[in-house]
Amino acid sequence: VREYLQQVADNIKMDENAVIRTLLVYIEDYQGKNDVNKKYIGHYAVVYYQYIEKGIDSFFIIETDENGKVSELYVSRDSGFKVEPVNCLPEKEESDFTPLCLEHNVGDWLAILQMWNVSDDEYETDNIVWGGMEPDCLYEDRTSNSIIKLQDKNEIFLAFKEKLQELNRQNDNRIEDNKLIFDNGNSGSAITIEVSERQRINKIVVEAYSKYLC
């Protein structure tokens, strides 16, 4: 597989007119002729453009086994996939790409979340948080009149990032008792997380906080 992908990359480099772009997408529907591909509805994929004006050139989809290891790499040019972009990252030089660590203990994850949206590497942290969330991650926001519960990873990522931005605008924050606390003096909100056996985020809870509550 590596040799094949390297051959594809080498051929592209020889084309001076090629403008390469990749992005993460969510497969919303399949309207092609290969019914087998319907099983990928609801999956995420990396799509690759060789010429932007011609649209998507290839879809890269993976399946994993019960241990979270890649069991299948599926590359398709089937235009029947209907997708919604998830993230469009800024242009980077090759030297900017470094491996991202997606496994952390609770304390380290809280430190990452504490700096999210306020550091210079917001896009990189986006990828760390996104990649570090388990596919079946749970999210609960208990700070509104009706509790918000989400299980879709894409919805969780967007809702949680928006919530953090809101809390950062209104409050100071600190880490205390394995919680990321946002308060304005007497009360505020607290974020707690749980991690899986491989130390990725599998539950996020946002709830009201008061220093007078035990």
Side-chain angles (χ1 to χ4, degrees):
V1 171
R2 186 178 185 277
E3 290 176 355
Y4 167 72
L5 294 177
Q6 186 62 58
Q7 180 182 359
V8 172
D10 291 342
N11 289 338
I12 292 169
K13 289 178 182 178
M14 296 175 63
D15 187 343
E16 296 180 354
N17 297 316
V19 179
I20 309 305
R21 186 182 184 195
T22 60
L23 47 112
L24 182 66
V25 300
Y26 177 75
I27 299 175
E28 293 187 320
D29 196 9
Y30 177 74
Q31 298 176 5
K33 298 179 180 179
N34 186 358
D35 287 345
V36 174
N37 283 338
K38 290 182 178 180
K39 70 178 182 179
Y40 295 113
I41 296 174
H43 284 224
Y44 295 90
V46 172
V47 298
Y48 150 77
Y49 294 78
Q50 185 169 344
Y51 305 97
I52 301 299
E53 67 276 8
K54 293 185 179 180
I56 296 173
D57 182 75
S58 297
F59 297 81
F60 289 79
I61 307 170
I62 64 169
E63 295 208 63
T64 57
D65 61 20
E66 59 184 9
N67 297 315
K69 303 294 185 180
V70 176
S71 60
E72 178 182 333
L73 171 61
Y74 178 53
V75 184
S76 174
R77 294 191 173 191
D78 192 332
S79 60
F81 291 111
K82 304 304 175 184
V83 303
E84 176 68 24
V86 174
N87 68 336
C88 301
L89 299 180
E91 294 294 329
K92 287 192 174 187
E93 298 297 328
E94 185 175 345
S95 59
D96 291 332
F97 287 93
T98 56
L100 299 179
C101 181
L102 305 178
E103 292 80 29
H104 301 279
N105 60 35
V106 169
D108 288 342
W109 271 121
L110 290 175
I112 290 170
L113 297 178
Q114 185 181 32
M115 295 303 298
W116 199 16
N117 308 134
V118 296
S119 63
D120 294 332
D121 64 346
E122 179 181 338
Y123 288 108
E124 181 172 309
T125 310
D126 280 1
N127 287 327
I128 293 173
V129 175
W130 169 265
M133 290 168 52
E134 293 285 15
D136 56 352
C137 182
L138 303 175
Y139 175 70
E140 292 186 14
D141 183 351
R142 302 172 181 171
T143 59
S144 56
N145 293 330
S146 58
I147 297 177
I148 299 172
K149 294 184 178 182
L150 300 174
Q151 287 185 282
D152 178 84
K153 184 174 176 177
N154 186 37
E155 292 180 359
I156 290 173
F157 177 82
L158 296 175
F160 183 45
K161 182 175 182 179
E162 183 178 354
K163 186 68 177 183
L164 270 180
Q165 289 174 330
E166 174 191 330
L167 293 174
N168 273 319
R169 285 194 298 266
Q170 300 174 359
N171 309 276
D172 295 325
N173 68 58
R174 67 183 186 277
I175 296 174
E176 184 179 294
D177 297 329
N178 276 335
K179 296 179 179 180
L180 177 55
I181 296 172
F182 297 80
D183 69 39
N184 51 20
N186 296 324
S187 62
S189 300
I191 295 174
T192 56
I193 65 170
E194 296 179 7
V195 298
S196 63
E197 290 184 359
R198 60 175 182 165
Q199 294 195 309
R200 296 195 182 188
I201 300 172
N202 64 2
K203 187 174 184 179
I204 304 167
V205 177
V206 185
E207 56 192 342
Y209 165 82
S210 173
K211 67 180 181 179
Y212 298 114
L213 294 177
C214 296

